């Protein structure tokens, strides 16, 4: 939302009850990029017909107690307070700013206006969570509002405990501002839904969750920056490379004049970690703070410029900077700035060479020896097409395995080049960077054409060959024209199983072996015992990024794993929703949620999404097709939801097979078939995300009831017959006892208790019987056969 639109929404406060508007402006150094917006906001508010506007300041980058520049005298029910801040300064990260919000919201209708675009929200210091607020009367102080976490949110599932929350408004989100204004001026009984900063938070689980560290290598850093911020922001950064001193004014002018379509590029560069404050006498230029490009990235950025780029940048600097600071402060750029002066590859025919192209090695890599050996065998066997595909669940370690292979066998190649290939444009950009390294002349857009790069790869002279790694690749149909097959080796990582149809050389990447999981946890949290390592690895499903984040957390928080498994389940949901650790940057929960939503939009994939929901409520491990097919038999359909609703796929054996195949194709499940038993398995971490993030409360309840009805339908007629005892053992493993008790599934619960007793586990049978008696004694008479049977099991003793 633009500033005028924001002010129009805010005007309702001026037209409503007699209120004083307190505007608190954060003057932290990071807010400099928003100076124009803040000044415009101040001017317009003072000109608007508010009854009174008071403007004060805080500095979230200062040390010590955080105070407003002037004293705010709260008058409950008479004031609205708007804090304007990017919420990035140190005070937002160490809790001082949140404490101040907690004080203000007890007497004012309080909100925070943060100007960061959605692409930069990950830089916010405080936790943001989805809340709902409701007021009984206008201008109610925020702390007095009825406030709750939005039902079904990840934070609710993870156990966030907050006394309340202060709404956070965004300039690019008009509905959130309009909703807050209604809450302040004319609340009626409607709920206002939006994001808020929790105050009075009691949740230990929310502390110590560090953001990933940026790559140390400058080339890797710039590639990561481009992946996050986009090519326009990287181009703006490159256009700043000729200058030793940079100001926000210069950045704005460069963006407006040279890349006018990139409105957010200035903020992306400013917050992207590319700049440092200029020291000493250079600290200011023409009254503006001065910055330097980081020394380690200035040269790699300068290599991206043409002579025309440099001339345009210098010309612009003469207009924007004081004349004494423009040419005199020009940085000496490497000769590679000029395309005609590239000399890394001579044109008389020596082998292709590049100076870099591979990320640093992952120091926490463990295991995968069989997978690495299989890759090498596939790529080098006689008759191979030179391509190998690694496929598997998101986060299982495909990227780190490919990276380890590239480092381990780099001596067998003239060069290795790493490319992001999540779509055709990502791969084209990477090929353009490779073209720069190979001194291929740029096209009209200033980048080497991908066709020329592919031609050079196919025809260029090599001694040992080259390895091109396509990471996180899109489906092969969208990338097929960008594959230089036959001239070198191509290693692909993808969750799209359709790649296995593109080549015979494909290797599945499973979760870590348990021994490797234990070794990884030991390296991160040495205090964990072997039993705790096993329990934690089982809970995490041996998924590397989750193991790493849980290991980091437990190294800081001395929780007993065995006593806090449920809390760790909730923590896992939180960690999976965040950006991963430095070596695993995929936000798995978001990726999985997007994959499921894409399934739901596809009529053929809708039943697969429903099956995934049911499987997420059936416990861990492979679920046999025999159990899933139980409802396809006419005698067993009575307990399931109607075949036209949720669970329809469980009534159709052909549809069930198709849904399983679709889940496998999207890397959302694994289908096992050893010839005798066919089964489908969903990773425990994905099950956690499905229950805590993807499915809403109603859908989760429906999926749980469908799973319960399926288990009831699968009960064997005679448990003593061959296969009957095995079927009951699987049902017992998958039973959600609390839901079965709530739904009064008498036959199912009694069958499971009877199974435990029949196999000699009378202790478990007695415990389950006592729990069931506690739940059902008030609903059934003492003469009911169910109560009589439960009582008999409850009194049994272990032999």
């Amino acid at each position: 939302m633009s500033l005028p639109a924001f002010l129009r929404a805010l005007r309702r406060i001026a037209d409503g009850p007699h209120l004083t508007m307190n505007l608190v402006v954060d003057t932290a150094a990071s807010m400099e990029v928003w100076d124009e917006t803040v000044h415009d906001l101040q001017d317009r508010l003072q000109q608007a017909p508010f009854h009174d506007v008071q403007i004060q300041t805080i500095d979230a980058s200062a040390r010590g107690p955080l105070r407003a520049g002037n004293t705010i005298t709260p008058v409950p029910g008479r004031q609205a307070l708007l804090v304007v801040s990017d919420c990035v300064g140190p005070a937002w990260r160490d809790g001082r700013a949140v404490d101040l919000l907690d004080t203000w919201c007890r007497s004012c209708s309080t909100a925070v206006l943060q100007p960061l675009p959605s692409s930069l929200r990950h830089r916010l210091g405080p936790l943001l969570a989805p809340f709902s607020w409701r007021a009984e009367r206008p201008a109610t102080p925020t702390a007095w509002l009825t406030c709750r976490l939005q039902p079904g949110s990840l934070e609710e599932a993870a156990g966030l405990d907050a006394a309340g929350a202060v709404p956070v408004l965004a300039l690019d989100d008009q509905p959130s501002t309009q909703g807050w204004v209604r809450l302040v001026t004319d609340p009626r009984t409607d709920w206002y839904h939006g994001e808020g900063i929790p105050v009075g938070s009691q949740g230990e689980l929310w502390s110590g969750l560090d953001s990933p560290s940026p790559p140390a290598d400058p080339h890797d850093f710039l590639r990561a920056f481009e992946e996050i911020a986009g090519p326009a922001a990287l181009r703006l950064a490159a256009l700043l490379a000729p200058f030793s001193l940079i100001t926000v004014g210069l950045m704005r002018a460069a963006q407006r004049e040279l890349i006018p379509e990139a409105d957010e590029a200035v903020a992306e560069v400013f917050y992207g970690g590319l700049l440092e404050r200029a020291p000493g006498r250079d600290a200011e230029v023409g009254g503006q703070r001065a910055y330097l490009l980081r020394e380690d990235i200035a040269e790699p950025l300068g290599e991206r410029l043409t002579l025309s780029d440099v001339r345009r940048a210098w010309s612009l600097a003469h207009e924007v900077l004081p004349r004494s600071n423009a040419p005199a402060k020009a940085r000496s750029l490497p000769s590679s700035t000029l395309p005609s002066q590239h000399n890394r590859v001579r044109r008389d025919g020596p082998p292709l060479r590049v100076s870099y192209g591979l990320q640093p090695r992952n120091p926490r890599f463990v295991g995968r020896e069989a997978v690495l050996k299989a890759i090498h065998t596939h790529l080098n066997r006689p008759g191979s097409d030179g391509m190998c595909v690694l496929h598997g669940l998101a986060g299982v370690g495909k990227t780190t395995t490919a990276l380890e292979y590239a480092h381990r066998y780099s001596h067998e190649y003239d060069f290795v080049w790493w490319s992001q290939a999540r779509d055709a444009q990502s791969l084209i950009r990477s090929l353009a960077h490779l073209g720069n390294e190979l001194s291929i002349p740029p096209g009209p857009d200033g980048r080497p054409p991908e066709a020329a790069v592919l031609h050079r790869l196919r025809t260029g002279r090599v001694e040992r060959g080259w390895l091109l790694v396509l990471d996180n690749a899109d489906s092969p149909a969208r990338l097929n024209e960008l594959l230089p097959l036959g001239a070198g080796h191509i290693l692909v990582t993808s969750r799209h199983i359709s790649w296995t149809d593109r080549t015979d050389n494909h290797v599945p990447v499973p979760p870590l072996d348990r021994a490797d999981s234990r070794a990884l946890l030991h390296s991160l949290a040495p205090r964990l015992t072997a039993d705790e390592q096993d329990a934690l690895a089982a809970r995490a499903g041996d998924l590397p990024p989750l193991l790493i984040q849980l290991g980091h957390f437990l190294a800081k928080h001395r929780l007993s794993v065995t006593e806090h498994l449920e809390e760790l389940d909730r923590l896992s949901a939180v960690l999976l929703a965040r950006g991963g650790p430095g070596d695993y940057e995929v936000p798995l929960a978001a990726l999985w949620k997007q994959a499921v939503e894409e399934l739901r939009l596809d009529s053929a994939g809708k039943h697969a999404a429903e099956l995934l929901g049911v499987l997420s409520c059936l416990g861990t491990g492979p679920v046999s097709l025999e159990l899933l097919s139980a409802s396809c038999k006419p005698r067993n359909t009575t307990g399931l939801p109607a075949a036209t609703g949720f669970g329809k796929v469980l009534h159709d054996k052909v549809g069930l097979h198709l849904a399983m195949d679709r889940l496998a194709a999207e890397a959302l499940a694994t289908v096992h078939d050893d010839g005798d038993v066919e089964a489908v398995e969903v990773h425990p971490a994905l099950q956690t995300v499905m229950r805590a993030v993807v499915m809403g409360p109603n859908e989760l309840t429906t999926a749980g009831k469908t799973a319960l009805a399926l288990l009831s339908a699968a009960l064997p007629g005679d448990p003593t017959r061959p296969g009957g005892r095995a079927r009951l053992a699987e049902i017992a493993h998958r039973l959600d006892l609390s839901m079965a008790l709530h739904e009064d599934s008498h036959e199912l619960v009694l069958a499971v208790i009877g199974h435990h007793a029949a196999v000699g586990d009378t202790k478990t049978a007695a415990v389950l019987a006592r729990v069931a008696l506690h739940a059902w004694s008030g609903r059934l008479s003492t003469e009911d056969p169910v109560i009589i049977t439960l009582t008999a099991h409850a009194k049994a003793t272990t032999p």
Side-chain angles (χ1 to χ4, degrees):
M1 179 173 60
S2 64
L3 183 59
F6 173 80
L7 288 165
R8 283 196 298 272
L10 208 61
R11 188 183 180 91
R12 288 189 56 178
I13 294 181
D15 297 337
H18 188 96
L19 294 176
T20 296
M21 168 61 75
N22 286 298
L23 187 68
V24 180
V25 177
D26 187 354
T27 59
S30 62
M31 283 291 290
E32 181 184 3
V33 74
W34 307 111
D35 277 353
E36 291 181 359
T37 300
V38 171
H39 291 156
D40 198 9
L41 175 63
Q42 291 175 346
D43 292 343
R44 289 173 181 257
L45 281 178
Q46 289 176 322
Q47 296 169 10
F50 287 99
H51 300 293
D52 188 15
V53 177
Q54 298 182 13
I55 299 176
Q56 299 163 74
T57 61
I58 58 173
D59 183 357
S61 59
R63 297 180 179 180
L66 192 63
R67 299 186 179 91
N70 300 313
T71 303
I72 295 177
T73 306
V75 182
R78 300 290 298 278
Q79 288 185 319
L81 188 146
L82 189 64
V83 181
V84 185
S85 175
D86 58 4
C87 302
V88 170
W92 290 102
R93 299 184 179 275
D94 60 24
R96 287 177 291 146
V98 177
D99 288 343
L100 197 56
L101 284 182
D102 194 13
T103 300
W104 286 335
C105 76
R106 298 176 190 278
S107 54
C108 303
S109 296
T110 306
V112 175
L113 171 65
Q114 68 85 15
L116 295 184
S118 56
S119 61
L120 286 169
R121 301 274 162 80
H122 62 283
R123 300 195 179 277
L124 297 177
L127 167 72
L128 259 64
F131 284 91
S132 298
W133 294 266
R134 187 166 62 187
E136 297 298 329
R137 59 183 61 87
T140 301
T142 302
W144 299 1
L145 299 173
T146 302
C147 177
R148 68 184 185 190
L149 277 166
Q150 291 182 19
S153 66
L154 170 65
E155 291 77 10
E156 182 190 52
L160 174 64
D161 181 12
V166 173
V168 175
L169 315 178
L171 280 177
D172 59 357
D173 185 6
Q174 187 170 0
S176 73
T177 303
Q178 292 173 335
W180 179 70
V181 170
R182 284 196 301 271
L183 186 71
V184 173
T185 59
D186 185 20
R188 300 175 187 171
T189 58
D190 295 337
W191 284 95
Y192 162 55
H193 307 288
E195 287 190 312
I197 298 173
V199 293
S201 176
Q202 304 297 317
E204 259 190 24
L205 297 180
W206 296 92
S207 63
L209 301 179
D210 298 327
S211 298
S213 299
D217 180 85
H219 298 289
D220 294 331
F221 175 88
L222 291 176
R223 279 197 290 271
F225 174 79
E226 182 178 19
E227 289 298 325
I228 295 172
L234 187 65
R235 174 148 178 78
L236 175 61
L239 290 167
L240 302 174
F243 305 103
S244 294
L245 295 181
I246 300 164
T247 66
V248 170
L250 176 61
M251 286 193 287
R252 288 197 186 110
Q255 181 269 315
R256 282 194 297 262
E257 297 297 324
L258 305 180
I259 40 177
E261 71 282 359
D263 293 337
E264 298 179 358
V266 173
E268 292 281 4
V269 171
F270 189 79
Y271 288 98
L274 288 77
L275 304 175
E276 301 172 342
R277 284 296 305 274
R281 291 181 299 176
D282 291 330
E284 287 193 2
V285 175
Q288 298 183 59
R289 290 190 185 99
Y291 298 88
L292 312 173
L293 268 180
R294 276 175 33 190
E295 191 65 33
D296 60 331
I297 64 173
E299 183 171 344
L301 282 172
E303 292 174 353
R304 299 169 180 269
L305 296 177
T306 65
L307 181 59
S308 174
D309 289 332
V310 175
R311 287 172 175 165
R312 292 172 70 194
W314 283 358
S315 174
L316 186 66
H318 275 291
E319 299 174 12
V320 175
L321 296 179
R323 191 163 297 277
S324 60
N325 286 292
K329 293 296 182 182
R331 185 190 300 273
S332 177
L333 293 177
S335 60
S336 59
T337 295
L338 308 181
S340 61
Q341 295 177 1
H342 276 295
N343 55 15
R344 290 195 181 104
V345 180
R346 299 195 309 273
R347 297 186 180 274
D348 56 358
L352 302 180
R353 290 284 190 271
V354 300
S355 62
Y356 70 95
L358 192 56
Q359 306 173 43
R361 204 166 195 160
N362 181 354
R364 287 192 288 263
F365 185 86
V366 295
R368 309 294 197 192
E369 293 301 324
V371 175
L372 294 169
K373 184 177 180 180
I375 297 170
H376 192 260
T377 299
H378 281 308
L379 289 176
N380 292 280
R381 67 177 174 81
S384 170
D385 61 3
M387 182 165 69
C388 183
V389 175
L390 301 182
H391 62 91
L393 183 75
V396 78
K398 302 182 295 295
T399 296
T400 54
T401 301
L403 183 61
E404 177 64 18
Y405 180 87
H407 277 283
R408 188 173 298 191
Y409 292 99
S410 61
H411 64 280
E412 296 186 3
Y413 299 97
D414 293 311
F415 69 87
V416 179
W417 188 263
W418 189 278
S419 296
Q420 286 295 328
R422 63 176 181 266
D423 53 41
Q425 287 304 312
S426 298
L427 181 52
I428 288 171
R429 286 197 298 269
S430 179
L431 290 173
H433 296 164
L434 177 56
N436 287 332
E437 285 290 307
L438 298 176
S439 299
I440 296 175
D445 63 353
R447 300 190 308 185
E450 62 270 17
V453 180
L454 294 172
H455 178 74
R456 181 69 63 85
L457 289 174
R458 292 186 179 109
T459 61
R461 180 183 167 192
V462 293
E463 293 175 348
R464 293 166 296 172
W466 45 257
L467 173 65
L468 178 64
V469 183
L470 307 185
D471 186 36
N472 191 28
D474 199 352
S475 65
R478 297 174 181 172
L479 301 181
N480 201 43
E481 300 301 319
L482 299 173
L483 301 178
L485 289 171
H489 287 171
I490 302 175
L491 181 58
V492 178
T493 76
S494 181
R495 66 181 183 88
H496 293 277
I497 204 170
S498 54
W499 277 98
T500 61
D501 297 328
R502 181 65 180 78
T503 177
D504 293 332
N505 302 331
H506 45 85
V507 181
V509 181
L512 288 175
D513 293 336
R514 184 54 50 85
D516 293 331
S517 294
R518 288 196 295 265
L520 182 57
L521 286 169
H522 179 74
S523 69
L524 297 166
R527 69 173 183 82
L528 294 175
T529 67
D531 287 342
E532 288 178 322
Q533 291 169 1
D534 274 331
L536 197 60
R539 218 71 177 184
D542 298 290
L543 197 65
L546 186 52
L547 287 169
I548 291 173
Q549 297 215 62
L550 287 172
H552 279 311
F553 182 84
L554 291 171
K556 298 178 181 179
H557 303 271
R558 299 186 67 84
L559 295 178
S560 168
V561 172
T562 54
E563 294 177 6
H564 295 85
L565 280 177
E566 294 305 318
E567 286 84 351
L568 290 173
D569 267 355
R570 294 195 295 271
L571 176 63
S572 296
V574 176
L575 295 174
L576 288 165
R578 298 172 64 89
D583 304 316
Y584 294 88
E585 297 176 353
V586 180
L588 293 177
L591 192 154
W592 285 330
K593 184 175 183 180
Q594 180 183 357
V596 175
E597 289 174 349
E598 289 174 357
L599 277 180
R600 290 170 173 168
L601 293 174
D602 179 359
S603 58
K606 181 179 179 181
H607 294 321
E610 291 179 355
L611 177 61
L612 181 60
V614 175
L615 290 170
S616 298
C617 297
L618 282 173
T620 58
V623 182
S624 68
L625 179 61
E626 183 185 9
L627 187 148
L628 286 174
S629 303
S631 59
C632 297
K633 301 173 183 178
R635 64 175 288 272
N636 288 326
T637 57
T638 55
L640 283 165
T644 56
F646 196 101
K648 178 182 178 181
V649 66
L650 298 175
H651 296 271
D652 175 8
K653 199 159 188 176
V654 173
L656 183 59
H657 276 283
L658 293 174
M660 290 167 55
D661 289 343
R662 183 63 182 273
L663 291 178
E666 299 295 334
L668 295 171
T670 302
V671 175
H672 305 277
D673 188 357
D674 61 7
D676 295 324
V677 177
E678 189 171 0
V680 59
E681 182 176 11
V682 178
H683 193 278
L686 175 52
Q687 290 180 320
T688 297
V689 169
M690 285 293 296
R691 295 191 300 267
V693 180
V694 178
M695 293 191 287
N698 294 335
E699 186 181 3
L700 180 59
T701 299
T702 302
K705 289 181 179 180
T706 303
L708 195 65
L710 176 65
L711 296 180
S712 295
L715 286 172
D718 183 359
T720 63
R721 297 187 63 181
R725 191 63 65 201
R727 172 71 69 84
L728 269 177
E730 183 176 9
I731 291 172
H733 167 66
R734 305 195 179 285
L735 178 66
D736 182 340
L737 182 63
S738 61
M739 175 164 277
L741 295 175
H742 182 268
E743 295 298 316
D744 291 331
S745 301
H746 301 152
E747 181 184 7
L748 182 58
V749 173
L750 288 178
V752 169
I753 292 174
H755 164 73
H756 284 293
V759 298
D761 189 2
T762 54
K763 182 177 181 180
T764 298
V767 171
L768 295 178
R770 294 185 191 112
V771 173
L773 278 172
H774 179 76
W776 288 340
S777 291
R779 294 183 238 172
L780 302 174
S781 72
T782 56
E783 302 301 320
D784 191 289
V786 173
I787 298 298
I788 294 173
T789 303
L790 291 174
T791 302
H793 283 297
K795 292 179 178 178
T797 57
T798 305

